[in-house]
Structure formats: C-alpha cells, structure tokens
Amino acid sequence: MTYPVTGLLAGPWARAVALRTADLANVLLPDPPPPAQVEDVLRAHGENGPFGLTPVDVRAMAAAARRLRDAATAPDTAASARRVNALLSAVRAPRLTDHGGATHWHLHLDASDEGPMDEWLLSSGAMALAVLLGDQQRVPGGVCAAPGCDRMFLDPGTGGRRRYCSARCGTRTRVAAHRRRARG
C-alpha cells in the first residue's frame, strides 16, 4: 500500500511557501523591479538578509517566477501536474538547514544556503505547488478574476475555491456588480 507524501508536508510550511511564492511572482512579473523591492517582499515573509540581490539576480528570479506562475495557473490539473513535474525534475534531494543556527530547522530543496536565489525560489515554489496539487487534486493557483488585475494567487485550500488575489479585489468586483444592477 502507498501513502501520499503530501499529507506529511501540507500545513503551515506549504501555506507559507505558497504565499511567499505568489507574492514574489507578483512583484517580479511582468517586469522585474529594483532589487530592493524584491528584498522587501523576502523580509515580509521572514527571510533574513542581507540578500545583496543584483539586477541580474532579479531577472533570473523573474524567469523562475514565470515558470512557477505557468505551472500554478495551468488550464487543468493534468497540465499543472506536468508543468510542476518538469520543475521538480531539476530539484535536488531535500535537505534540512537552520542557516547556521540563525533560524529553526526547515526543509530546502536547493543546492546550498549560499546558492542562487532563482534556484531557491524555483525549488521551494515547485515543491509548494506539488504539495497543494497533491492535497487538493486541482490546479493550485489562478489569476485574479477582478477586471484590470493580473495578479497570481496560490490557493492553500483554506475555505472555498479562490477567484481573487485579495479580499480588496473581490470586494471591489462585487461592489461594481451591485452598482451596475442597482442602475438597472
């Protein structure tokens, strides 16, 4: 008998990495921002600097984010799984790190703590997508349904299926629809 490994990995880790991946993708795409803006997102998700990101690093991270977004927003579950598997094919075996005693022990799938940030983003993001897809048996993310918003979101499965990147976009869309109906 086989048991799904995702149940072992799901929970706070997958949710935190999924949210970080979506936030990084949204700041990195469509056009890479200045390194300081990416570093702000990293800090907001509890990552410790100094990062020393360069424009070259940010462009490489943007390429990784594009691949992650493509996998997370595929048209169906099978396509998403194929894309996630393609990303995971380059991932190394899991390893534990505490960043030299600076943090709690946690899972990494990149080569080393000093490795390139795009490798770290791609490997951790791909694993989070795999866990979400395996647990939910559906495409793990989407693009915001609000008019004029193109932000990606990952759905960690807390409640109903998401359509919007944020409560703000959902509320704005519902208020606009209500006003259209009220005008007749």
Side-chain angles (χ1 to χ4, degrees):
M1 178 177 269
T2 61
Y3 297 96
V5 72
T6 56
L8 300 172
L9 296 173
W13 177 86
R15 179 174 167 71
V17 174
L19 294 173
R20 182 189 69 210
T21 299
D23 285 350
L24 283 168
N26 288 327
V27 77
L28 289 161
L29 302 172
D31 298 313
Q37 197 172 346
V38 177
E39 291 177 357
D40 288 345
V41 174
L42 290 167
R43 282 187 197 90
H45 284 277
E47 299 298 330
N48 298 319
F51 302 103
L53 292 178
T54 67
V56 171
D57 296 327
V58 172
R59 283 193 300 277
M61 290 176 75
R66 200 167 290 106
R67 293 178 67 196
L68 289 163
R69 180 182 166 123
D70 216 28
T73 62
D76 58 59
T77 305
S80 183
R82 282 191 302 276
R83 293 173 187 180
V84 169
N85 279 338
L87 297 175
L88 288 172
S89 69
V91 170
R92 299 179 188 277
R95 65 184 177 87
L96 287 170
T97 183
D98 67 352
H99 298 281
T103 66
H104 62 281
W105 287 100
H106 60 281
L107 191 64
H108 267 234
L109 297 133
D110 52 356
S112 73
D113 290 347
E114 292 77 34
M117 290 295 284
D118 61 309
E119 179 185 310
W120 167 81
L121 173 59
L122 195 60
S123 63
S124 63
M127 187 63 171
L129 294 179
V131 169
L132 292 176
L133 194 148
D135 278 353
Q136 299 171 10
Q137 296 297 300
R138 64 180 188 213
V139 176
V143 176
C144 186
C149 185
D150 190 34
R151 291 176 57 87
M152 175 184 122
F153 61 86
L154 292 176
D155 190 351
T158 54
R161 184 78 170 120
R162 285 182 66 173
R163 295 184 53 221
Y164 303 102
C165 67
S166 65
R168 181 178 180 209
C169 273
T171 300
R172 191 177 73 236
T173 301
R174 286 188 293 279
V175 167
H178 172 75
R179 289 180 178 157
R180 278 192 305 278
R181 285 190 304 273
R183 283 192 296 261

